[in-house]
Amino acid sequence: DALEMEMGLADLYGGARPLELPPLDAGFALDDPGVELKPYPSCRFTHRAIDAVLALREKHGDRELRAIECASDPLGLSILIYPEPRTGLEAKFSLQYCVAIAWLAGWPGLDAFSDARATAADVQALLRRVRVRSTRSADEEVELIFSDGTRASESVRIARGHPRNPLSDAQREAKLALCLEPALGVQRARALVDAFASLESIRDVRDLAGRIA
């Protein structure tokens, strides 16, 4: 069942049942296309919309927003089941929330998915103005509607972090730092990130272990 049931491995990664295993010499997805890295700590089905919002925010972030419209993958929408989340965990599976928090705060880190942030008045007010519809298009589209009635849109086909749209070194390091800061603080987190970046030149692994402890 884990392989062949609805929304099992074959459905999610192969798209067909019954499952047919390829020959062992046919190559592995781990090598080609390769491993995806998630830049945001939410369901991967929210990431193309977040990418689109961040691109729009960079261009129009100072404008007053009336509403946001999203055209999204139907499989993703079957998993993103919390239009009005009340916890940080529900927020990770809410397209409306992820779109709203990306517009309000930019690149979403761990703190964007706390229970307190999920129920904050500014987020709740905006996510109720996010309209979502299903699309069979290969692209995910986000359209902003501004207070003066004008619109701006952005389409994303391949989410940031995919091997064909990889994170830059700076983006990977920024994500690592955001994950480490709650436990280590800003300075220790930055020092550990720098240590990982120069891993090949570290003469004694105890130096690295000491930064983690």
Side-chain angles (χ1 to χ4, degrees):
D1 281 354
L3 295 177
E4 295 183 299
M5 68 183 292
E6 184 178 357
M7 295 182 69
L9 184 70
D11 249 8
L12 293 177
Y13 296 101
R17 292 193 305 272
L19 180 64
E20 295 182 7
L21 294 177
L24 291 179
D25 61 354
F28 294 93
L30 188 65
D31 294 318
D32 184 18
V35 177
E36 292 192 41
L37 299 178
K38 287 178 60 177
Y40 322 118
S42 57
C43 176
R44 186 60 164 159
F45 279 112
T46 68
H47 285 207
R48 290 195 295 169
I50 293 174
D51 287 344
V53 171
L54 293 179
L56 289 165
R57 187 177 189 269
E58 186 173 344
K59 302 172 188 174
H60 309 286
D62 58 344
R63 300 187 63 183
E64 187 175 348
L65 196 62
R66 180 189 298 172
I68 304 176
E69 295 184 350
C70 302
S72 190
D73 176 80
L75 175 59
L77 293 179
S78 71
I79 295 171
L80 304 174
I81 58 175
Y82 297 103
E84 296 185 17
R86 293 296 173 181
T87 68
L89 181 58
E90 290 180 357
K92 291 173 180 281
F93 295 90
S94 170
L95 185 62
Q96 291 85 348
Y97 179 89
C98 290
V99 166
I101 197 67
W103 175 259
L104 290 171
W107 188 295
L110 292 173
D111 58 347
F113 297 95
S114 66
D115 290 351
R117 193 69 182 107
T119 55
D122 61 335
V123 185
Q124 289 288 322
L126 181 54
L127 68 83
R128 294 189 185 98
R129 291 184 279 138
V130 178
R131 298 191 286 267
V132 174
R133 63 180 175 84
S134 176
T135 180
R136 292 290 181 180
S137 171
D139 296 335
E140 185 134 345
E141 183 177 13
V142 173
E143 186 170 37
L144 306 182
I145 305 171
F146 301 107
S147 295
D148 62 3
T150 58
R151 296 172 177 247
S153 65
E154 188 80 21
S155 295
V156 175
R157 178 164 296 188
I158 301 172
R160 184 180 280 135
H162 187 278
R164 285 188 284 157
N165 186 16
L167 299 178
S168 67
D169 289 344
Q171 288 170 338
R172 287 198 302 271
E173 290 178 9
K175 177 185 176 174
L176 179 56
L178 285 172
C179 292
L180 293 171
E181 283 172 10
L184 300 180
V186 175
Q187 290 184 339
R188 288 182 63 201
R190 186 68 255 177
L192 186 55
V193 170
D194 291 343
F196 279 125
S198 57
L199 188 62
E200 292 183 358
S201 64
I202 293 177
R203 301 185 64 181
D204 191 332
V205 73
R206 287 174 295 187
D207 293 339
L208 179 61
R211 297 182 187 274
I212 299 173

